[in-house]
Amino acid sequence: MQPHHTPIPAAAATGTATVTVLRQLGNVGTVNVNYATSDGSAISGGDYTSTAGTLTFAPGETSKSFSVPITVDAATVENEEQLNLTLSSVTGTAKLGDQSTATVKIQ
């Protein structure tokens, strides 16, 4: 289990960053993985909305996505900012890949 891309691009103008998590090296059985965002140079409540939850992969599923709301502030021009994503607490027959963290870049 790991993020599909890193860094994950997020255009501030769209108001959403879509994060895709891949299930690799097998797709047998049901697997759960928790995800959570945390502040980098982007601050929750001002630049994005903190997001956490659990993705459930049914047998045969190899990818799942979730969204992180990005704050659209047309009145302010900001430099590129980043927030962090962490995958944890895998259940079932899966394990975390070498890359269980990722960066979301707000541009």
Side-chain angles (χ1 to χ4, degrees), residues 1-2 24 87 90 95-101:
M1 310 289 291
Q2 64 185 34
Q24 299 175 318
L87 300 178
V90 176
K95 64 179 184 173
L96 289 174
D98 291 337
Q99 184 178 333
S100 62
T101 62

Side-chain angles (χ1 to χ4, degrees), residues 2-105:
Q2 64 185 34
H4 182 57
H5 294 289
T6 189
I8 299 160
T14 66
T16 303
T18 300
V19 178
T20 300
V21 177
L22 300 179
R23 178 181 183 176
Q24 299 175 318
L25 304 176
N27 60 5
V28 176
T30 300
V31 173
N32 297 309
V33 62
N34 293 340
Y35 63 87
T37 56
S38 61
D39 290 353
S41 55
I43 306 299
S44 175
D47 299 309
Y48 74 101
T49 301
S50 289
T51 304
T54 302
L55 296 174
T56 300
F57 291 78
E61 289 185 311
T62 58
S63 69
K64 288 280 189 176
S65 297
F66 65 93
S67 296
V68 178
I70 304 298
T71 303
V72 178
D73 187 356
T76 304
V77 176
E78 297 188 53
N79 293 325
E80 179 179 281
E81 296 178 295
Q82 301 178 20
L83 61 108
N84 303 308
L85 164 70
T86 303
L87 300 178
S88 64
S89 303
V90 176
T91 64
T93 58
K95 64 179 184 173
L96 289 174
D98 291 337
Q99 184 178 333
S100 62
T101 62
T103 301
V104 176
K105 287 189 175 186

